[in-house]
Structure formats: structure tokens, C-alpha cells
Amino acid sequence: MTNPTVPVPDRREFLAYFSTIGLASTLLPGVLWSKVAAGADITKETIASAEEIAGMSFTEDERTMMVRNLTQMRQSIDALHKTTLENAVAPALVFDPLPPGVSLPKKTKQPAAPSRVPMLARPGSLDELAFESVTRLASLVRARKVKPSELTEMYLSRLKRFDPQLKCVISLTEERALAQARTADADIAAGRYRGPLHGIPWGAKDLLAAKGYKTTWGAGPYKEQTIGEDATVVQRLDRAGAILVAKLTLGELAQGDNWFGGVTRNPWWTEQGSSGSSAGPASATAAGLVGFSIGTETLGSISSPSTRCGVTGRRDLARCLAAIVFSLL
């Protein structure tokens, strides 16, 4: 009797299944996957032929179980894919142990104390500020020694100058940035200072949507994709007065530092990639192309590019989804 053909999951799901039955460290998953990738169907006969190469042996019942379980896995995945989620639906990351109807006393929010930093004099060339920390840039902006528009033009110029070597930019948001800078100039001149991020240029990893600009996820199939809304973190930084100057690179679909435009480079050793997945934010911050940048966490997306490029990366789950705030020491 012919065995039914099993629809094949993707490679990660395929290998994960063999991990659950204790076969991840054997040759069988790799051998079987190579047959599937070459166009073979997963049947009891396919499993039996893979056993010979892997030096293993299963009973007829065990082969039937594998075929059945892979079929069920595919059906479950297909059912999940039929559920349409809007882009604005946040992942279920928050666990609330309180029973329905129960609430805790509200905490009084303490005002943030500003950092005390020495006041800098305005330099002869604004490029001298490219590597300054956000706190020092903020002190200059607040004291009206430097205008947000001046910082914005300086960082845009550096992005254009150094990106050909570093490959850390997917899209410049120049028009948006200059408009935000003009607004920040006027607000600060009128005494409407919003706080330490007001007038500070920043860069966003290109997983974060910005209305009117591409959001590519670093992947070729999505390099023309636009999302008609701003990500929550972009909205919050807009309200704080920060100025978005660029959408920065990431490895394809948040994996590594290789994206559809090439490999993002470590500014201090350009023969080396900047690591990933938040390759662009780390590289751009280390090279003094933005005041700070935001990335996201998958696996090592904070520690790896921070270590590679010599910047500080802070993960903050409380304020936005696994955000990385890259800044200079």
C-alpha cells in the first residue's frame, strides 16, 4: 500500500521535530532533509533509505509514527498561517498573574533626574560632535549652542560620506529629518524643550516601520515594501523630539550582517562584518553617523554587534519590543 505524501515544513521546523524525538545529534535529519530538498517526498520508504546512509535502523511502526507526526506538524502550521494578523498586533510578551478584576495600587512615577555633564563649547567644526554622547549633545541643544538642524545636517552628511564603505544604510529619511529639525529649532527657540532626546538625530533598524519609507527587513523579496504607519518606538521618539535620519541595515530577516545590499562593516576594521542582526545600528553609531540608534533582539543582536563595533547596547523590554539603544561610551 502506498504511503501518503507528507507536505514538508521549512528546514528549521523539520530539524526541530527530530530534536523532540532525540535524533538531533544523529545524521538522520540532515540526510533526510537533503533528500527532501532534492524533491523527494517524505514517506516510510524515504526514511528507510535515509537510515542506511545514517547507519540507523527503525521499525515499520516507528517510520509510520514519523510520517504521521510530520503530517500533523504541517497541518498545524497551515492552520496558523490561515490566521491573519494586522501589523499593529503586538506579540504576546507580557504575562499578567493578576486574576480578573484585581488591581494593584498605582505607583507614583518619579521624575527622571538629568545627567550632570560638563557643558561643552561649540566647536569650530560640527563634525567634532559626531562621537559625543547623547547627554553631551543634549546639553548643547538645550543651551541653544547648537541647533537640531545643524546636528541633522552634520549626521546626514556623514551618512552619505561613509555609507559606501560601511553599507549600514538602507534608506535615508532626509526629507522627514529636515522637517523634524526645523520644528525642533522653532520649539526650542520658543522655550518648548521636551527633554534629553529633543533635537537628537537617530537611526532605526529597518525592521521598524516609518510611514512614507521602505521597510525591507534586509531581505531582497521585501526591498520595495512599505508599511503605511509608524512603529510604536518611532512614534514615541517622535513625541520626544528625536529626529529620524536613516533606516539602518540588518541581516536578511534579522539574521547576521549580510543583507540584500552586501555585508555591513565594522567601522574599525572594514574587512570584518559588524555582526548581527542589528548590524547597521551598531556600525552607524560606532562610526559617528547618528547620535544613537535602535535595533531589535533575536539571538545575540545586542551583545554581538556591540562587542564587534565597540558600542554600548541596552535592551529595554519595558518600553518597546526588545529595543536596542546603541550609544557611544
Side-chain angles (χ1 to χ4, degrees):
M1 184 174 181
T2 304
N3 291 309
T5 298
V6 179
V8 183
D10 66 28
R11 183 175 181 274
R12 182 178 295 180
E13 295 156 355
F14 184 89
L15 297 180
Y17 165 71
F18 286 97
S19 177
T20 67
I21 60 174
L23 297 176
S25 62
T26 70
L27 292 175
L28 183 72
V31 172
L32 192 54
W33 178 257
S34 67
K35 291 179 176 294
V36 171
D41 297 327
I42 298 180
T43 63
K44 289 191 290 185
E45 288 76 12
T46 309
I47 293 172
S49 65
E51 290 172 34
E52 297 180 16
I53 300 173
M56 305 183 73
S57 178
F58 297 106
T59 67
E60 193 72 5
D61 287 343
E62 287 171 332
R63 295 181 191 122
T64 300
M65 178 195 69
M66 290 184 193
V67 173
R68 182 181 66 248
N69 289 347
L70 285 168
T71 303
Q72 291 172 347
M73 178 192 294
R74 181 73 271 171
Q75 290 171 346
S76 296
I77 293 168
D78 287 342
L80 284 174
H81 288 174
K82 290 178 182 177
T83 302
T84 302
L85 292 178
E86 297 297 329
N87 185 61
V89 175
L93 294 178
V94 178
F95 170 68
D96 187 352
L98 290 177
V102 176
S103 59
L104 295 176
K106 290 185 178 180
K107 293 183 178 180
T108 303
K109 187 176 181 179
Q110 299 296 324
S115 301
R116 294 184 178 180
V117 295
M119 178 58 69
L120 297 175
R122 180 186 171 98
S125 168
L126 287 183
D127 259 36
E128 295 178 36
L129 298 177
F131 293 93
E132 290 293 348
S133 65
V134 170
T135 51
R136 290 192 172 184
L137 293 174
S139 68
L140 286 168
V141 170
R142 185 176 187 180
R144 305 183 194 176
K145 293 188 175 182
V146 174
K147 292 181 179 180
S149 58
E150 293 176 314
L151 285 180
T152 300
E153 289 168 2
M154 180 268 289
Y155 280 122
L156 284 170
S157 174
R158 290 180 62 83
L159 284 161
K160 294 173 184 177
R161 195 186 329 159
F162 294 109
D163 180 59
Q165 293 96 329
L166 299 180
K167 297 186 182 298
C168 62
V169 177
I170 291 182
S171 301
L172 285 177
T173 56
E174 186 168 8
E175 185 177 349
R176 186 188 202 275
L178 292 175
Q180 285 185 305
R182 288 191 294 269
T183 300
D185 285 353
D187 284 347
I188 292 169
R192 297 188 294 270
Y193 182 69
R194 302 186 201 176
L197 295 181
H198 199 176
I200 306 300
W202 69 285
K205 181 178 180 178
D206 204 36
L207 279 180
L208 303 176
K211 189 175 181 179
Y213 294 91
K214 296 174 185 177
T215 301
T216 71
W217 305 334
Y222 301 100
K223 65 181 180 180
E224 299 300 327
Q225 174 179 249
T226 59
I227 297 175
E229 58 186 315
D230 291 326
T232 298
V233 66
V234 174
Q235 295 174 18
R236 292 182 178 183
L237 285 170
D238 281 350
R239 290 196 294 269
I243 298 169
L244 178 62
V245 291
K247 304 287 295 298
L248 302 171
T249 61
L250 66 154
E252 284 194 312
L253 302 178
Q255 297 291 322
D257 51 24
N258 195 342
W259 60 290
F260 64 82
V263 177
T264 300
R265 301 294 176 180
N266 173 4
W268 310 120
W269 184 22
T270 54
E271 294 180 9
Q272 181 184 60
S274 67
S275 188
S277 65
S278 298
S283 177
T285 303
L289 310 187
V290 289
F292 69 96
S293 56
I294 300 285
T296 58
E297 168 74 1
T298 47
L299 180 62
S301 293
I302 298 172
S303 56
S304 188
S306 295
T307 302
R308 183 70 60 85
C309 297
V311 293
T312 296
R314 177 184 173 185
R315 183 181 183 189
D316 189 351
L317 277 170
R319 295 184 179 273
C320 53
L321 171 60
I324 308 171
V325 180
F326 285 106
S327 59
L328 293 164
L329 293 170

